[in-house]
Amino acid sequence: MRRKLHGIAAEVMARLDVLAALTVEPGGARQLVRAAERARAKTLVGGWMRDAGMVVRSDPAGNLIGRYEGERDGAPALLLGSRLETSVDSGRFDGPLGALAGIAVVQLLAREEQRLPVALEVAAFADEAGVRFAADPVGTLVAGREPPAARAVPSGAIPFPRLAQPAARPTFPKLLAYVELRAEQGPVLDTEGVPLGVGTAVAGQARLGITLEGHAGHAGAVPMELRRDALAAAAEMVLLVERRCSEEGLVGTVGRLAVEPEAPDAIPGTCRFHIDVRAADDASRDLALDDIREGLAEIARRRRLACWVEEQRRVPAVRCDAALSRRLGDALAEEGLGVRELASGAGRDAMAIASLCPAGMLLVRCHGAARRPGEWVTVDDCETALRALERFVRDFRAEDEAPAAHPWSAYRGLARVPARAG
Amino acid sequence: MRRKLHGIAAEVMARLDVLAALTVEPGGARQLVRAAERARAKTLVGGWMRDAGMVVRSDPAGNLIGRYEGERDGAPALLLGSRLETSVDSGRFDGPLGALAGIAVVQLLAREEQRLPVALEVAAFADEAGVRFAADPVGTLVAGREPPAARAVPSGAIPFPRLAQPAARPTFPKLLAYVELRAEQGPVLDTEGVPLGVGTAVAGQARLGITLEGHAGHAGAVPMELRRDALAAAAEMVLLVERRCSEEGLVGTVGRLAVEPEAPDAIPGTCRFHIDVRAADDASRDLALDDIREGLAEIARRRRLACWVEEQRRVPAVRCDAALSRRLGDALAEEGLGVRELASGAGRDAMAIASLCPAGMLLVRCHGAARRPGEWVTVDDCETALRALERFVRDFRAEDEAPAAHPWSAYRGLARVPARAG
């Protein structure tokens, strides 16, 4: 029997709207960028947690955590959640859906005054997307890791060093598993007509920064055969990336490109761009990177340009916990849904949490999927996601998880968490 | 016997330095952008004209004209000159060399108290490059034409409508011919080891503004086969322009290109760029444009992108006067120089003046040729240019020119000058 969760799905959607209204950019939900909006968003979400029956705390890294106690006090916790804010240029569905869905599941349990064998915690993580602190998952601070190397500061963001370091170690109780519900942010589920997918991995990412130095010139005065046009060389390189990454399981993108001098009647002398390559399999990504580097060098040589390649990032793929993913699939099946497995190409908080405990993902179909404000999740799909998540939570048992060889020690003794790139 | 003009060539170079020092941008000579530097530059150049023995006037369009009277007062004039300022991002050799060389020739004549059968006028034109008024040759105002359509206003420039319209018609005396000495601003003479060239034409120019609308997306979340990447499409188009314009006598350039959203981890959804195509022969340029338009449409169709093509400019080529060019060649030959004919791909004041009287060009070898501050002309080449120009001027006879069927009427009755694009 399928219970109707339409009302609570509509409430989740309304709450996304409320958070989006705090944005400093129309259409987005970058409320964490400014302290005032950030505080307001956390006050709202904390209030919703309390209304749902949770005890709310926050940690020095800025994460907000609500706890719904289990059948016995102090029980190990199943953690649901996501970050609160969205990336630059992303929309309201980019971040907070997981946290709000977690709150909604607690509401459903509390309504029936039902306690589970485990505690349920819901986290609204701070700044996974690096909107505020110009660093990747600052949520990783909860894991006691070193902050990642600072990267280019997005406009309006606070440089990393100004982040107050946690005064005390975070105070998570024992964690059994983490499940992150997120909009897919890609067109795969939409194209296949599937409302929900089970995440298998967060793709690893590599980013190269390319600088081409050719020879600027007057667009009218330099014969074609005497040119060293940096943009024409870059154009070949863009197509090389596209071609090489069209292999199964890879994606490759040039998303930022700038020329100098930038004038309609000047041959570009300099061109700078970034290459982003991702795959759920690190080895095939690294092979592609090697081929791309070789191709770049060949193009630059043939066109007599200088070419600098700077590896700015190489983050390994993080696999979701297989047992946990299986149980997420079981929950979908029990709710009469097909089980589509897919890797997330977008970075997720799960990347950080996976070093603490088994991590899994539920990905929700996204329409108009694009890294921009226009993408959306329907209220029907939100309802379906809540149904699956609630089923999973109700069926979750701590003992199923305990035998897994996970680094609990890493969680208890934070200093022992293995270092991992950005 | 070659007379030594090294001293006066060094003085021309020093004067270029003085003008460059008035720039508002290091390395350039954009002294006309701000009223104070503009006034200072005109005061200096006017002073040099007077020192050389000229009577100086200026016209309402801002052109500065020095007159060195001929054997009889009020004789028709041979006009030398160029514009005073440089283009955005260009160097000290971009503009004023022709005006300063004209002054130097007058100095040489005046030193010997020699009068010619014709008057010699030297013009320092205002704003051919549109630096100040965001419109192409404002010098064309001297011809009484309509100002060209306003175009995008370069940073710091004054929008066209704020230009004071000439209160009175300009007061040029009868013009016999116009000769413009300019740095080539291209690498052709340098590559061939030739110090001076005789201009055959100013290439015609077409400019297309392209807007591509594909689909933005998250660089990790959209499989390659589902993408509509605006930059990848633009890359194909850049290479198409390069390939099609590699035909003899054509040049094609994409000099400005911008993507949206501009983020390393976003698939570009929109791309805007300009295509600049030039040729000394309008027909072959137009054929190339047709082929390029067809190619753009094919690429956009295949990649499922919307593509808008806006023709922003189509300026016909202007041929130099054949008889005048021949006599410029004769002067070079008499000075023992080879005669290399070449078209100027860069726009020149001669484009405007050619509708008034026979126009010719002398192009000087340019090192590090680029539309940027780094290009330079050696003092030796400057000396060679002065020698050739002086020879030409001394040998110039009005009667040689008079039979030519040139629109003197157009000059006398300014309203009858035929309209011509940009």
Side-chain angles (χ1 to χ4, degrees):
Chain A
M1 185 203 71
R2 296 187 187 182
R3 276 156 309 109
K4 286 282 182 197
L5 300 188
H6 197 273
I8 202 156
E11 187 179 43
V12 166
M13 304 300 273
R15 286 174 172 179
L16 286 170
D17 286 347
V18 169
L19 291 178
L22 291 176
T23 187
V24 294
E25 287 182 358
R30 295 181 57 194
Q31 69 281 2
L32 293 194
V33 171
R34 280 204 305 237
E37 284 83 358
R38 193 167 70 236
R40 179 90 186 107
K42 289 176 83 167
T43 302
L44 281 167
V45 173
W48 296 334
M49 285 175 168
R50 266 183 288 271
D51 289 349
M54 284 186 268
V55 176
V56 181
R57 65 188 191 278
S58 73
D59 71 13
N63 302 309
L64 193 67
I65 304 123
R67 181 176 171 93
Y68 182 72
E69 200 51 85
E71 286 166 357
R72 59 176 179 80
D73 277 7
L78 169 63
L79 180 66
L80 307 177
S82 65
R83 61 188 159 83
L84 201 50
E85 91 290 9
T86 77
S87 307
V88 179
D89 287 327
S90 291
R92 63 188 64 185
F93 295 102
D94 175 33
L97 183 59
L100 299 186
I103 295 171
V105 167
V106 172
Q107 284 176 265
L108 292 169
L109 296 172
R111 199 179 283 172
E112 304 171 11
E113 294 182 0
Q114 183 170 2
R115 295 286 165 178
L116 302 177
V118 300
L120 203 55
E121 297 214 338
V122 177
F125 289 112
D127 206 43
E128 177 237 54
V131 170
R132 188 156 53 103
F133 293 120
D136 275 318
V138 172
T140 59
L141 280 176
V142 300
R145 299 209 214 122
E146 287 303 304
R151 58 181 169 106
V153 180
S155 147
I158 302 162
F160 196 86
R162 285 173 54 198
L163 170 65
Q165 292 298 316
R169 290 300 187 189
T171 52
F172 274 134
K174 195 160 178 176
L175 273 183
L176 293 166
Y178 169 68
V179 171
E180 183 168 349
L181 185 147
R182 291 285 286 270
E184 181 203 341
Q185 297 189 274
V188 175
L189 297 175
D190 188 27
T191 303
E192 298 182 6
V194 177
L196 273 186
V198 176
T200 54
V202 179
Q205 184 196 7
R207 185 181 295 167
L208 305 178
I210 315 293
T211 304
L212 291 173
E213 191 73 44
H215 204 315
H218 192 296
V222 187
M224 300 303 279
E225 68 275 13
L226 295 180
R227 295 186 177 199
R228 298 178 182 183
D229 184 330
L231 178 58
E236 270 200 63
M237 293 172 177
V238 167
L239 295 174
L240 161 72
V241 170
E242 185 185 45
R243 199 166 50 242
R244 180 59 183 82
C245 295
S246 290
E247 202 175 275
E248 177 71 24
L250 277 168
V251 287
T253 309
V254 176
R256 175 181 278 167
L257 185 144
V259 296
E260 277 173 41
E262 202 197 359
D265 57 352
I267 301 161
T270 305
C271 186
R272 291 188 178 84
F273 60 98
H274 291 90
I275 299 174
D276 180 298
V277 177
R278 304 191 196 202
D281 173 54
D282 292 340
S284 69
R285 183 204 55 190
D286 291 347
L287 268 178
L289 275 179
D290 289 347
D291 288 350
I292 287 169
R293 278 173 172 275
E294 209 169 285
L296 299 180
E298 186 277 320
I299 293 165
R301 210 162 36 231
R302 174 162 39 80
R303 288 177 171 271
R304 297 172 298 140
L305 277 80
C307 176
W308 291 270
V309 179
E310 183 203 357
E311 181 168 311
Q312 297 176 337
R313 189 181 295 189
R314 193 184 289 229
V315 184
V318 174
R319 299 211 65 79
C320 291
D321 182 78
L324 195 61
S325 297
R326 207 158 41 236
R327 282 201 280 151
L328 283 165
D330 291 347
L332 264 64
E334 284 196 42
E335 290 295 324
L337 298 162
V339 181
R340 168 62 155 107
E341 296 199 323
L342 76 168
S344 171
R348 306 294 183 188
D349 300 285
M351 295 163 72
I353 309 297
S355 65
L356 296 185
C357 69
M361 289 186 298
L362 269 183
L363 298 173
V364 190
R365 169 167 56 191
C366 195
H367 300 279
R371 194 174 170 287
R372 57 180 192 183
E375 66 186 6
W376 81 99
V377 169
T378 65
V379 65
D380 287 348
D381 285 351
C382 181
E383 182 184 349
T384 306
L386 288 180
R387 249 196 310 127
L389 189 62
E390 193 205 8
R391 165 69 65 184
F392 165 79
V393 167
R394 284 182 190 270
D395 292 349
F396 186 82
R397 293 293 176 275
E399 49 270 37
D400 299 346
E401 219 41 62
H406 267 280
W408 301 111
S409 59
Y411 174 64
R412 289 202 201 93
L414 292 165
R416 294 179 52 198
V417 173
R420 193 187 289 264
Chain B
M1 185 202 72
R2 297 186 185 181
R3 277 158 308 108
K4 285 283 180 197
L5 299 188
H6 198 271
I8 201 156
E11 186 178 46
V12 166
M13 304 301 271
R15 286 174 172 180
L16 286 171
D17 285 346
V18 168
L19 292 178
L22 292 175
T23 187
V24 294
E25 288 182 357
R30 295 182 56 194
Q31 70 281 359
L32 293 193
V33 172
R34 280 205 306 238
E37 283 83 359
R38 194 168 68 237
R40 179 87 186 111
K42 289 174 82 165
T43 303
L44 281 169
V45 173
W48 296 333
M49 286 173 168
R50 266 183 289 269
D51 289 348
M54 286 186 268
V55 175
V56 181
R57 65 189 191 277
S58 72
D59 71 13
N63 301 311
L64 193 67
I65 305 122
R67 182 175 170 93
Y68 182 73
E69 201 51 87
E71 286 166 356
R72 58 177 179 81
D73 277 6
L78 168 63
L79 181 66
L80 308 176
S82 64
R83 62 188 158 84
L84 201 51
E85 90 290 10
T86 76
S87 308
V88 178
D89 288 326
S90 290
R92 64 188 62 186
F93 295 102
D94 176 34
L97 183 61
L100 298 186
I103 295 170
V105 168
V106 172
Q107 285 175 266
L108 292 170
L109 296 172
R111 198 179 284 173
E112 305 171 11
E113 292 182 3
Q114 183 171 2
R115 295 286 165 177
L116 302 176
V118 300
L120 202 55
E121 298 214 336
V122 178
F125 289 112
D127 206 41
E128 176 236 56
V131 171
R132 190 157 50 105
F133 294 119
D136 275 320
V138 171
T140 59
L141 280 175
V142 300
R145 297 208 214 123
E146 289 302 305
R151 61 180 165 107
V153 180
S155 148
I158 302 161
F160 196 86
R162 287 172 53 194
L163 169 66
Q165 292 299 317
R169 289 303 188 187
T171 51
F172 274 134
K174 194 160 179 174
L175 272 184
L176 294 168
Y178 170 67
V179 171
E180 183 169 350
L181 184 145
R182 292 284 285 273
E184 181 202 342
Q185 296 190 274
V188 174
L189 296 175
D190 188 25
T191 305
E192 298 182 7
V194 177
L196 273 184
V198 176
T200 55
V202 179
Q205 183 197 9
R207 186 181 295 167
L208 305 178
I210 315 294
T211 304
L212 291 173
E213 189 74 44
H215 204 315
H218 192 296
V222 187
M224 301 304 280
E225 68 274 14
L226 295 179
R227 295 187 176 198
R228 297 179 182 183
D229 184 330
L231 178 58
E236 271 200 64
M237 294 172 176
V238 167
L239 295 173
L240 161 74
V241 170
E242 185 185 45
R243 199 166 49 242
R244 181 59 183 84
C245 294
S246 291
E247 202 174 273
E248 177 70 25
L250 276 169
V251 286
T253 309
V254 176
R256 176 180 276 169
L257 184 143
V259 296
E260 279 173 40
E262 202 198 359
D265 57 350
I267 301 161
T270 305
C271 186
R272 293 187 178 81
F273 60 98
H274 290 90
I275 298 174
D276 180 297
V277 177
R278 305 192 194 200
D281 173 55
D282 292 340
S284 68
R285 184 203 55 188
D286 291 348
L287 267 178
L289 275 180
D290 289 347
D291 288 350
I292 287 170
R293 278 173 171 276
E294 211 168 283
L296 298 182
E298 186 276 321
I299 292 165
R301 209 165 34 232
R302 172 162 42 79
R303 289 178 170 270
R304 298 171 300 140
L305 275 80
C307 175
W308 291 270
V309 179
E310 183 202 358
E311 180 167 313
Q312 296 176 338
R313 188 181 295 189
R314 194 183 289 230
V315 184
V318 174
R319 298 211 66 79
C320 291
D321 183 79
L324 196 59
S325 298
R326 208 157 39 236
R327 282 202 281 153
L328 283 166
D330 291 347
L332 264 63
E334 286 197 42
E335 291 294 325
L337 299 162
V339 182
R340 168 62 155 107
E341 296 200 324
L342 74 167
S344 171
R348 306 295 184 188
D349 301 284
M351 293 163 72
I353 309 297
S355 65
L356 296 182
C357 72
M361 289 186 298
L362 270 183
L363 299 173
V364 189
R365 168 167 57 187
C366 196
H367 299 278
R371 193 173 169 288
R372 59 180 192 184
E375 67 185 8
W376 81 98
V377 168
T378 65
V379 65
D380 287 348
D381 286 351
C382 181
E383 181 184 351
T384 306
L386 287 179
R387 251 196 308 128
L389 188 64
E390 192 204 9
R391 164 70 64 182
F392 165 80
V393 167
R394 284 182 191 269
D395 292 350
F396 187 82
R397 294 293 176 273
E399 49 269 38
D400 299 344
E401 221 38 64
H406 268 279
W408 301 112
S409 59
Y411 174 64
R412 288 201 203 94
L414 293 168
R416 292 179 53 197
V417 174
R420 191 188 289 262

